[in-house]
Amino acid sequence: MDASFDALMTITSRPATVFVRGEGSWLFDGHGRRYLDFVQGWAVNCLGHCPLVLARALCEQAATLINCSPAFYNAPMVRLAEALKAASGLDRSFFANSGAEANEGAIKLARKWGALHRGGAHEIVTFEQGFHGRTLATMSASGKAAWKGLFEPKVPGFPKVPLGDLAAVEAAIGPDTAAVMLEPIQGEAGVIPAGDGFLKELRALTQAKGVLLILDEIQTGMGRTGRLFHYQHLGFTPDILTLGKGLGGGVPLSALLAREDVCCFEPGDQGGTFNGNPLMTAAGLAVLEAVTAPGFLERVTATGAYLAEGLAALSRRHGFGGVRGRGLLLALDLGRPVGPALVEAALAEGLLINAPRPECLRFMPALTVSREEVDSLLATLDPLCGAVA
Ligand SMILES: *Cc1c(COP(=O)(O)O)cnc(C)c1O
């Protein structure tokens, strides 16, 4: 397909490739060329491209009921909420269409909770380099340096502290604070773990101070780190949790979950035309069933370790700065700003990878990626790394 792209708004610079088909870890362009995909829609296609269970669930639901309005209950919506409750330890869900929308809902819920239960507290302590989405409030909650000065004035009430600095969090919590919000591993920042020790201390601190802990697991949730949710590595439950990306396995579905006593929305406070529609929630059910099937998460952990080992060997060979992350959310620290050049060279070799920052590469393959596909990634990447090192 020789296309002109002029009818699309420019929101990012894309390669001139037009993708037409996907299968597992592979994407195909209009010329029949195949690409090994370690981006997977930014950690969205957790079961790979067009998995049969998802295609089947969507087809069956599309032929049964697509949308009956958020003013009515539908069967997949109710079932998914029940399944998430059982899996997460949190009591109630609100479904939405994007991660940003789920986080926007979390912010509103925390502000309402603060208004009702903490004397009008409305501030949410957030973290430098954090990423929570692209609506105005979630951009304001994000700590992306490049967004400073953009779309001003931002939504107030999101003081920022450095990740890992418990004393700074403690100092930032005051009478106006309703919550602390963070990603357990900062994804867009370049796969920067908050650290298990810090997360546990933060849970204790928020409890001691009587403020809510909001975990944005839009990138780390749904098995990405080898547990269904990242906080399950740590043995505590947040007060509010947001999910997106992998939850729909590729279709637009996100969720805001909370503990019973935090669920203070009243009719009219929150909603949305498409929220909880049966087509998307049926997809979510199919994904959740696949990810929680016996042995699935153990395989994510094993494949993640295999990929991490391979990347660590690559790092040693080329004098890079090592590997970070967990499960199948990993980054290779390049130690120099050659990420974009590597992404471009990899594309030419039929390999899709991502550089969230110029000095690192991020790997977020399908959770079903095979060892052979990992070997293929490493074999393609090795000479390219040699060329830039
Ligand atoms: C992708 C992402 C978001 C935003 O999700 P959208 O679906 O793009 O709105 C929010 N938080 C985190 C941690 C993310 O990775």
PDB file of all heavy atoms in Angstrom, residues 307-340:
ATOM      1  N   LEU A 307      15.122 -13.898  28.944  1.00  0.00           N
ATOM      2  CA  LEU A 307      15.363 -12.662  28.191  1.00  0.00           C
ATOM      3  C   LEU A 307      16.346 -11.764  28.948  1.00  0.00           C
ATOM      4  O   LEU A 307      17.273 -11.196  28.346  1.00  0.00           O
ATOM      5  CB  LEU A 307      14.032 -11.928  27.944  1.00  0.00           C
ATOM      6  CG  LEU A 307      14.103 -10.529  27.314  1.00  0.00           C
ATOM      7  CD1 LEU A 307      14.816 -10.565  25.955  1.00  0.00           C
ATOM      8  CD2 LEU A 307      12.700  -9.930  27.137  1.00  0.00           C
ATOM      9  N   ALA A 308      16.155 -11.653  30.269  1.00  0.00           N
ATOM     10  CA  ALA A 308      17.040 -10.797  31.074  1.00  0.00           C
ATOM     11  C   ALA A 308      18.484 -11.292  31.003  1.00  0.00           C
ATOM     12  O   ALA A 308      19.422 -10.497  30.875  1.00  0.00           O
ATOM     13  CB  ALA A 308      16.559 -10.754  32.528  1.00  0.00           C
ATOM     14  N   GLU A 309      18.655 -12.635  31.048  1.00  0.00           N
ATOM     15  CA  GLU A 309      20.011 -13.214  30.945  1.00  0.00           C
ATOM     16  C   GLU A 309      20.643 -12.885  29.609  1.00  0.00           C
ATOM     17  O   GLU A 309      21.801 -12.490  29.525  1.00  0.00           O
ATOM     18  CB  GLU A 309      19.913 -14.744  31.024  1.00  0.00           C
ATOM     19  CG  GLU A 309      20.177 -15.352  32.364  1.00  0.00           C
ATOM     20  CD  GLU A 309      19.779 -16.828  32.347  1.00  0.00           C
ATOM     21  OE1 GLU A 309      20.149 -17.550  31.399  1.00  0.00           O
ATOM     22  OE2 GLU A 309      19.042 -17.225  33.276  1.00  0.00           O
ATOM     23  N   GLY A 310      19.871 -13.049  28.559  1.00  0.00           N
ATOM     24  CA  GLY A 310      20.375 -12.767  27.210  1.00  0.00           C
ATOM     25  C   GLY A 310      20.748 -11.303  27.046  1.00  0.00           C
ATOM     26  O   GLY A 310      21.787 -10.965  26.445  1.00  0.00           O
ATOM     27  N   LEU A 311      19.907 -10.415  27.587  1.00  0.00           N
ATOM     28  CA  LEU A 311      20.189  -8.982  27.488  1.00  0.00           C
ATOM     29  C   LEU A 311      21.403  -8.610  28.332  1.00  0.00           C
ATOM     30  O   LEU A 311      22.206  -7.753  27.943  1.00  0.00           O
ATOM     31  CB  LEU A 311      18.969  -8.168  27.942  1.00  0.00           C
ATOM     32  CG  LEU A 311      17.746  -8.215  27.005  1.00  0.00           C
ATOM     33  CD1 LEU A 311      16.547  -7.520  27.655  1.00  0.00           C
ATOM     34  CD2 LEU A 311      18.046  -7.590  25.644  1.00  0.00           C
ATOM     35  N   ALA A 312      21.542  -9.272  29.499  1.00  0.00           N
ATOM     36  CA  ALA A 312      22.698  -8.996  30.361  1.00  0.00           C
ATOM     37  C   ALA A 312      23.991  -9.403  29.649  1.00  0.00           C
ATOM     38  O   ALA A 312      25.007  -8.691  29.726  1.00  0.00           O
ATOM     39  CB  ALA A 312      22.552  -9.729  31.687  1.00  0.00           C
ATOM     40  N   ALA A 313      23.949 -10.532  28.937  1.00  0.00           N
ATOM     41  CA  ALA A 313      25.136 -10.973  28.184  1.00  0.00           C
ATOM     42  C   ALA A 313      25.471  -9.960  27.087  1.00  0.00           C
ATOM     43  O   ALA A 313      26.630  -9.596  26.867  1.00  0.00           O
ATOM     44  CB  ALA A 313      24.881 -12.358  27.584  1.00  0.00           C
ATOM     45  N   LEU A 314      24.422  -9.470  26.427  1.00  0.00           N
ATOM     46  CA  LEU A 314      24.589  -8.452  25.381  1.00  0.00           C
ATOM     47  C   LEU A 314      25.227  -7.190  25.984  1.00  0.00           C
ATOM     48  O   LEU A 314      26.120  -6.577  25.393  1.00  0.00           O
ATOM     49  CB  LEU A 314      23.195  -8.121  24.838  1.00  0.00           C
ATOM     50  CG  LEU A 314      23.039  -7.665  23.403  1.00  0.00           C
ATOM     51  CD1 LEU A 314      23.343  -8.809  22.460  1.00  0.00           C
ATOM     52  CD2 LEU A 314      21.597  -7.195  23.179  1.00  0.00           C
ATOM     53  N   SER A 315      24.724  -6.833  27.173  1.00  0.00           N
ATOM     54  CA  SER A 315      25.216  -5.633  27.856  1.00  0.00           C
ATOM     55  C   SER A 315      26.701  -5.762  28.173  1.00  0.00           C
ATOM     56  O   SER A 315      27.482  -4.833  27.952  1.00  0.00           O
ATOM     57  CB  SER A 315      24.402  -5.418  29.137  1.00  0.00           C
ATOM     58  OG  SER A 315      24.886  -4.302  29.831  1.00  0.00           O
ATOM     59  N   ARG A 316      27.090  -6.949  28.688  1.00  0.00           N
ATOM     60  CA  ARG A 316      28.508  -7.168  29.031  1.00  0.00           C
ATOM     61  C   ARG A 316      29.374  -7.108  27.779  1.00  0.00           C
ATOM     62  O   ARG A 316      30.425  -6.494  27.754  1.00  0.00           O
ATOM     63  CB  ARG A 316      28.679  -8.534  29.711  1.00  0.00           C
ATOM     64  CG  ARG A 316      28.229  -8.549  31.179  1.00  0.00           C
ATOM     65  CD  ARG A 316      28.657  -9.843  31.872  1.00  0.00           C
ATOM     66  NE  ARG A 316      28.072 -11.036  31.282  1.00  0.00           N
ATOM     67  CZ  ARG A 316      26.872 -11.521  31.616  1.00  0.00           C
ATOM     68  NH1 ARG A 316      26.131 -10.900  32.526  1.00  0.00           N
ATOM     69  NH2 ARG A 316      26.398 -12.614  31.043  1.00  0.00           N
ATOM     70  N   ARG A 317      28.875  -7.750  26.711  1.00  0.00           N
ATOM     71  CA  ARG A 317      29.656  -7.837  25.479  1.00  0.00           C
ATOM     72  C   ARG A 317      29.908  -6.460  24.873  1.00  0.00           C
ATOM     73  O   ARG A 317      30.943  -6.212  24.274  1.00  0.00           O
ATOM     74  CB  ARG A 317      28.915  -8.741  24.484  1.00  0.00           C
ATOM     75  CG  ARG A 317      29.775  -9.312  23.406  1.00  0.00           C
ATOM     76  CD  ARG A 317      29.325 -10.689  22.931  1.00  0.00           C
ATOM     77  NE  ARG A 317      27.947 -10.733  22.471  1.00  0.00           N
ATOM     78  CZ  ARG A 317      27.004 -11.477  23.032  1.00  0.00           C
ATOM     79  NH1 ARG A 317      27.288 -12.230  24.074  1.00  0.00           N
ATOM     80  NH2 ARG A 317      25.784 -11.479  22.558  1.00  0.00           N
ATOM     81  N   HIS A 318      28.937  -5.562  24.996  1.00  0.00           N
ATOM     82  CA  HIS A 318      29.060  -4.272  24.327  1.00  0.00           C
ATOM     83  C   HIS A 318      29.341  -3.121  25.286  1.00  0.00           C
ATOM     84  O   HIS A 318      29.322  -1.961  24.892  1.00  0.00           O
ATOM     85  CB  HIS A 318      27.795  -3.993  23.509  1.00  0.00           C
ATOM     86  CG  HIS A 318      27.540  -5.032  22.456  1.00  0.00           C
ATOM     87  ND1 HIS A 318      28.324  -5.146  21.331  1.00  0.00           N
ATOM     88  CD2 HIS A 318      26.619  -6.022  22.377  1.00  0.00           C
ATOM     89  CE1 HIS A 318      27.881  -6.162  20.589  1.00  0.00           C
ATOM     90  NE2 HIS A 318      26.846  -6.712  21.212  1.00  0.00           N
ATOM     91  N   GLY A 319      29.584  -3.464  26.567  1.00  0.00           N
ATOM     92  CA  GLY A 319      29.922  -2.425  27.543  1.00  0.00           C
ATOM     93  C   GLY A 319      28.763  -1.502  27.865  1.00  0.00           C
ATOM     94  O   GLY A 319      28.963  -0.308  28.123  1.00  0.00           O
ATOM     95  N   PHE A 320      27.547  -2.043  27.838  1.00  0.00           N
ATOM     96  CA  PHE A 320      26.382  -1.240  28.212  1.00  0.00           C
ATOM     97  C   PHE A 320      26.201  -1.247  29.735  1.00  0.00           C
ATOM     98  O   PHE A 320      26.974  -1.875  30.457  1.00  0.00           O
ATOM     99  CB  PHE A 320      25.112  -1.780  27.532  1.00  0.00           C
ATOM    100  CG  PHE A 320      25.098  -1.620  26.025  1.00  0.00           C
ATOM    101  CD1 PHE A 320      24.347  -2.477  25.225  1.00  0.00           C
ATOM    102  CD2 PHE A 320      25.818  -0.607  25.393  1.00  0.00           C
ATOM    103  CE1 PHE A 320      24.312  -2.328  23.839  1.00  0.00           C
ATOM    104  CE2 PHE A 320      25.796  -0.449  24.010  1.00  0.00           C
ATOM    105  CZ  PHE A 320      25.042  -1.323  23.235  1.00  0.00           C
ATOM    106  N   GLY A 321      25.109  -0.609  30.182  1.00  0.00           N
ATOM    107  CA  GLY A 321      24.930  -0.396  31.624  1.00  0.00           C
ATOM    108  C   GLY A 321      24.063  -1.407  32.348  1.00  0.00           C
ATOM    109  O   GLY A 321      23.660  -1.170  33.487  1.00  0.00           O
ATOM    110  N   GLY A 322      23.721  -2.541  31.708  1.00  0.00           N
ATOM    111  CA  GLY A 322      22.966  -3.571  32.420  1.00  0.00           C
ATOM    112  C   GLY A 322      21.475  -3.576  32.116  1.00  0.00           C
ATOM    113  O   GLY A 322      20.988  -2.815  31.272  1.00  0.00           O
ATOM    114  N   VAL A 323      20.781  -4.470  32.812  1.00  0.00           N
ATOM    115  CA  VAL A 323      19.366  -4.729  32.559  1.00  0.00           C
ATOM    116  C   VAL A 323      18.570  -4.395  33.807  1.00  0.00           C
ATOM    117  O   VAL A 323      19.034  -4.637  34.923  1.00  0.00           O
ATOM    118  CB  VAL A 323      19.166  -6.226  32.206  1.00  0.00           C
ATOM    119  CG1 VAL A 323      17.694  -6.542  31.932  1.00  0.00           C
ATOM    120  CG2 VAL A 323      20.017  -6.596  31.012  1.00  0.00           C
ATOM    121  N   ARG A 324      17.374  -3.832  33.643  1.00  0.00           N
ATOM    122  CA  ARG A 324      16.504  -3.617  34.806  1.00  0.00           C
ATOM    123  C   ARG A 324      15.066  -3.966  34.436  1.00  0.00           C
ATOM    124  O   ARG A 324      14.715  -4.074  33.254  1.00  0.00           O
ATOM    125  CB  ARG A 324      16.627  -2.185  35.335  1.00  0.00           C
ATOM    126  CG  ARG A 324      16.388  -1.139  34.300  1.00  0.00           C
ATOM    127  CD  ARG A 324      16.484   0.281  34.857  1.00  0.00           C
ATOM    128  NE  ARG A 324      16.145   1.178  33.774  1.00  0.00           N
ATOM    129  CZ  ARG A 324      17.002   1.925  33.099  1.00  0.00           C
ATOM    130  NH1 ARG A 324      18.278   1.929  33.417  1.00  0.00           N
ATOM    131  NH2 ARG A 324      16.589   2.680  32.107  1.00  0.00           N
ATOM    132  N   GLY A 325      14.241  -4.131  35.461  1.00  0.00           N
ATOM    133  CA  GLY A 325      12.846  -4.470  35.241  1.00  0.00           C
ATOM    134  C   GLY A 325      12.509  -5.794  35.884  1.00  0.00           C
ATOM    135  O   GLY A 325      13.299  -6.335  36.676  1.00  0.00           O
ATOM    136  N   ARG A 326      11.337  -6.321  35.532  1.00  0.00           N
ATOM    137  CA  ARG A 326      10.867  -7.550  36.172  1.00  0.00           C
ATOM    138  C   ARG A 326       9.976  -8.301  35.191  1.00  0.00           C
ATOM    139  O   ARG A 326       9.221  -7.678  34.450  1.00  0.00           O
ATOM    140  CB  ARG A 326      10.067  -7.169  37.412  1.00  0.00           C
ATOM    141  CG  ARG A 326       9.750  -8.293  38.341  1.00  0.00           C
ATOM    142  CD  ARG A 326       9.142  -7.750  39.627  1.00  0.00           C
ATOM    143  NE  ARG A 326       9.724  -8.373  40.798  1.00  0.00           N
ATOM    144  CZ  ARG A 326       9.679  -7.855  42.022  1.00  0.00           C
ATOM    145  NH1 ARG A 326       9.104  -6.706  42.238  1.00  0.00           N
ATOM    146  NH2 ARG A 326      10.220  -8.493  43.039  1.00  0.00           N
ATOM    147  N   GLY A 327      10.069  -9.618  35.230  1.00  0.00           N
ATOM    148  CA  GLY A 327       9.226 -10.423  34.345  1.00  0.00           C
ATOM    149  C   GLY A 327       9.505 -10.079  32.892  1.00  0.00           C
ATOM    150  O   GLY A 327      10.665 -10.053  32.459  1.00  0.00           O
ATOM    151  N   LEU A 328       8.461  -9.761  32.150  1.00  0.00           N
ATOM    152  CA  LEU A 328       8.641  -9.408  30.739  1.00  0.00           C
ATOM    153  C   LEU A 328       8.451  -7.911  30.500  1.00  0.00           C
ATOM    154  O   LEU A 328       7.938  -7.487  29.471  1.00  0.00           O
ATOM    155  CB  LEU A 328       7.717 -10.252  29.857  1.00  0.00           C
ATOM    156  CG  LEU A 328       8.233 -11.693  29.653  1.00  0.00           C
ATOM    157  CD1 LEU A 328       7.187 -12.572  28.991  1.00  0.00           C
ATOM    158  CD2 LEU A 328       9.532 -11.709  28.831  1.00  0.00           C
ATOM    159  N   LEU A 329       8.868  -7.123  31.491  1.00  0.00           N
ATOM    160  CA  LEU A 329       8.979  -5.667  31.324  1.00  0.00           C
ATOM    161  C   LEU A 329      10.419  -5.319  31.667  1.00  0.00           C
ATOM    162  O   LEU A 329      10.781  -5.171  32.834  1.00  0.00           O
ATOM    163  CB  LEU A 329       8.007  -4.929  32.253  1.00  0.00           C
ATOM    164  CG  LEU A 329       8.049  -3.393  32.191  1.00  0.00           C
ATOM    165  CD1 LEU A 329       7.753  -2.885  30.785  1.00  0.00           C
ATOM    166  CD2 LEU A 329       7.087  -2.784  33.192  1.00  0.00           C
ATOM    167  N   LEU A 330      11.262  -5.258  30.640  1.00  0.00           N
ATOM    168  CA  LEU A 330      12.701  -5.123  30.858  1.00  0.00           C
ATOM    169  C   LEU A 330      13.263  -3.967  30.044  1.00  0.00           C
ATOM    170  O   LEU A 330      12.715  -3.595  29.003  1.00  0.00           O
ATOM    171  CB  LEU A 330      13.414  -6.422  30.454  1.00  0.00           C
ATOM    172  CG  LEU A 330      13.065  -7.660  31.289  1.00  0.00           C
ATOM    173  CD1 LEU A 330      13.642  -8.911  30.642  1.00  0.00           C
ATOM    174  CD2 LEU A 330      13.589  -7.520  32.728  1.00  0.00           C
ATOM    175  N   ALA A 331      14.352  -3.404  30.553  1.00  0.00           N
ATOM    176  CA  ALA A 331      15.062  -2.377  29.803  1.00  0.00           C
ATOM    177  C   ALA A 331      16.549  -2.693  29.794  1.00  0.00           C
ATOM    178  O   ALA A 331      17.088  -3.229  30.759  1.00  0.00           O
ATOM    179  CB  ALA A 331      14.826  -1.004  30.410  1.00  0.00           C
ATOM    180  N   LEU A 332      17.174  -2.374  28.677  1.00  0.00           N
ATOM    181  CA  LEU A 332      18.622  -2.479  28.536  1.00  0.00           C
ATOM    182  C   LEU A 332      19.177  -1.063  28.594  1.00  0.00           C
ATOM    183  O   LEU A 332      18.818  -0.222  27.764  1.00  0.00           O
ATOM    184  CB  LEU A 332      18.960  -3.143  27.194  1.00  0.00           C
ATOM    185  CG  LEU A 332      20.431  -3.234  26.783  1.00  0.00           C
ATOM    186  CD1 LEU A 332      21.244  -4.038  27.794  1.00  0.00           C
ATOM    187  CD2 LEU A 332      20.552  -3.873  25.390  1.00  0.00           C
ATOM    188  N   ASP A 333      20.012  -0.807  29.599  1.00  0.00           N
ATOM    189  CA  ASP A 333      20.621   0.514  29.753  1.00  0.00           C
ATOM    190  C   ASP A 333      21.812   0.603  28.796  1.00  0.00           C
ATOM    191  O   ASP A 333      22.774  -0.149  28.921  1.00  0.00           O
ATOM    192  CB  ASP A 333      21.075   0.667  31.213  1.00  0.00           C
ATOM    193  CG  ASP A 333      21.633   2.056  31.497  1.00  0.00           C
ATOM    194  OD1 ASP A 333      21.952   2.793  30.539  1.00  0.00           O
ATOM    195  OD2 ASP A 333      21.758   2.386  32.686  1.00  0.00           O
ATOM    196  N   LEU A 334      21.721   1.532  27.843  1.00  0.00           N
ATOM    197  CA  LEU A 334      22.758   1.627  26.816  1.00  0.00           C
ATOM    198  C   LEU A 334      23.915   2.522  27.253  1.00  0.00           C
ATOM    199  O   LEU A 334      24.991   2.497  26.649  1.00  0.00           O
ATOM    200  CB  LEU A 334      22.150   2.159  25.511  1.00  0.00           C
ATOM    201  CG  LEU A 334      20.988   1.329  24.937  1.00  0.00           C
ATOM    202  CD1 LEU A 334      20.220   2.121  23.888  1.00  0.00           C
ATOM    203  CD2 LEU A 334      21.501   0.017  24.350  1.00  0.00           C
ATOM    204  N   GLY A 335      23.666   3.346  28.255  1.00  0.00           N
ATOM    205  CA  GLY A 335      24.727   4.217  28.777  1.00  0.00           C
ATOM    206  C   GLY A 335      25.068   5.389  27.855  1.00  0.00           C
ATOM    207  O   GLY A 335      25.960   6.175  28.184  1.00  0.00           O
ATOM    208  N   ARG A 336      24.408   5.470  26.721  1.00  0.00           N
ATOM    209  CA  ARG A 336      24.634   6.579  25.774  1.00  0.00           C
ATOM    210  C   ARG A 336      23.385   6.687  24.895  1.00  0.00           C
ATOM    211  O   ARG A 336      22.661   5.693  24.749  1.00  0.00           O
ATOM    212  CB  ARG A 336      25.895   6.350  24.954  1.00  0.00           C
ATOM    213  CG  ARG A 336      25.793   5.182  23.979  1.00  0.00           C
ATOM    214  CD  ARG A 336      27.108   4.475  23.776  1.00  0.00           C
ATOM    215  NE  ARG A 336      27.262   3.436  24.798  1.00  0.00           N
ATOM    216  CZ  ARG A 336      28.229   2.532  24.807  1.00  0.00           C
ATOM    217  NH1 ARG A 336      29.146   2.539  23.899  1.00  0.00           N
ATOM    218  NH2 ARG A 336      28.280   1.617  25.748  1.00  0.00           N
ATOM    219  N   PRO A 337      23.149   7.850  24.297  1.00  0.00           N
ATOM    220  CA  PRO A 337      21.850   8.069  23.627  1.00  0.00           C
ATOM    221  C   PRO A 337      21.749   7.444  22.238  1.00  0.00           C
ATOM    222  O   PRO A 337      21.472   8.126  21.260  1.00  0.00           O
ATOM    223  CB  PRO A 337      21.756   9.602  23.569  1.00  0.00           C
ATOM    224  CG  PRO A 337      23.168  10.069  23.526  1.00  0.00           C
ATOM    225  CD  PRO A 337      23.992   9.066  24.280  1.00  0.00           C
ATOM    226  N   VAL A 338      21.944   6.126  22.154  1.00  0.00           N
ATOM    227  CA  VAL A 338      21.894   5.458  20.847  1.00  0.00           C
ATOM    228  C   VAL A 338      20.598   4.667  20.653  1.00  0.00           C
ATOM    229  O   VAL A 338      20.455   3.938  19.661  1.00  0.00           O
ATOM    230  CB  VAL A 338      23.119   4.525  20.652  1.00  0.00           C
ATOM    231  CG1 VAL A 338      24.396   5.348  20.575  1.00  0.00           C
ATOM    232  CG2 VAL A 338      23.222   3.506  21.780  1.00  0.00           C
ATOM    233  N   GLY A 339      19.656   4.813  21.588  1.00  0.00           N
ATOM    234  CA  GLY A 339      18.394   4.079  21.504  1.00  0.00           C
ATOM    235  C   GLY A 339      17.646   4.296  20.193  1.00  0.00           C
ATOM    236  O   GLY A 339      17.301   3.326  19.503  1.00  0.00           O
ATOM    237  N   PRO A 340      17.377   5.552  19.820  1.00  0.00           N
ATOM    238  CA  PRO A 340      16.631   5.786  18.572  1.00  0.00           C
ATOM    239  C   PRO A 340      17.326   5.188  17.342  1.00  0.00           C
ATOM    240  O   PRO A 340      16.659   4.629  16.464  1.00  0.00           O
ATOM    241  CB  PRO A 340      16.557   7.315  18.493  1.00  0.00           C
ATOM    242  CG  PRO A 340      16.642   7.766  19.921  1.00  0.00           C
ATOM    243  CD  PRO A 340      17.576   6.794  20.590  1.00  0.00           C
TER     244      PRO A 340
END
